[in-house]
Amino acid sequence: MSATSVECIWIMGDPSKGKTMLLCGIIDELKNQLSEREMLSYSFCQANDMRISGATAVLRVLMLLLVNQQPSLAPHIQEEYDRSAKTLFEDENAWVALSNMCSNMLQDSSGRRFYLIIDALDECVVDTKNLLDFLGQTSQSTIYQGATMQI
């Protein structure tokens, strides 16, 4: 059984330098080149839109895109949803439930390479530390390859 791989690139730069457009180009290119063993998921944060400015929103989007690519991951969400229904995604325990589900999804796909892209991480204004901790834990429990790019 092969290990799961999560790829990380941190792109930093001042506002209005083109980081989001660069990521859109990277996403488009990755979509065109993914193999059967690779999965791409991405989320865009925006501080002035509460729907997409928190850690739980980021995980919801990442998980949705992963399930769309690999429907066999859906039971990780369905089991929890059957127990908690809609409150699973909205109440004060949402972060714990979602981070556990996402971790299970990533571990269940052994041997796959994941590209997780989060744009404007600095605009994730709700539970940012939780998201950073999750990303750190994910990278420690998988084969992590990372790079930083300054623009």
Side-chain angles (χ1 to χ4, degrees):
M1 183 184 302
S2 300
T4 299
S5 176
V6 176
E7 303 290 330
C8 294
I9 299 173
W10 191 301
I11 300 172
M12 301 181 300
D14 294 330
S16 299
K17 296 294 183 188
K19 297 178 300 293
T20 298
M21 293 308 298
L22 176 63
L23 284 176
C24 288
I26 290 170
I27 290 167
D28 288 342
E29 193 61 31
L30 282 172
K31 282 181 180 179
N32 292 330
Q33 296 185 17
L34 289 178
S35 72
E36 287 183 19
R37 304 294 306 158
E38 297 174 316
M39 296 178 71
L40 170 64
S41 190
Y42 49 90
S43 181
F44 294 83
C45 298
Q46 191 170 358
N48 60 2
D49 186 339
M50 290 309 294
R51 295 170 301 158
I52 56 175
S53 66
T56 55
V58 169
L59 283 188
R60 280 194 302 261
V61 171
L62 293 176
M63 290 168 44
L64 175 64
L65 291 175
L66 291 174
V67 168
N68 284 342
Q69 293 170 70
Q70 186 176 349
S72 66
L73 296 174
H76 293 290
I77 298 171
Q78 190 65 48
E79 291 169 12
E80 290 294 325
Y81 185 82
D82 289 344
R83 278 192 286 253
S84 306
K86 189 177 179 180
T87 60
L88 171 68
F89 300 104
E90 298 174 350
D91 72 6
E92 60 278 351
N93 296 317
W95 171 258
V96 173
L98 289 169
S99 61
N100 287 336
M101 286 186 288
C102 191
S103 290
N104 291 338
M105 290 170 70
L106 294 172
Q107 292 170 5
D108 185 28
S109 295
S110 185
R112 291 193 179 271
R113 174 175 284 176
F114 291 90
Y115 297 95
L116 303 177
I117 297 176
I118 303 169
D119 182 52
L121 190 55
D122 60 322
E123 294 190 41
C124 177
V125 295
V126 179
D127 292 332
T128 308
K129 182 179 179 337
N130 287 342
L131 182 58
L132 291 172
D133 288 346
F134 173 79
L135 294 171
Q137 291 167 0
T138 299
S139 66
Q140 289 175 7
S141 64
T142 63
I143 296 173
Y144 171 74
Q145 298 173 2
T148 301
M149 181 186 320
Q150 178 75 38
I151 61 170

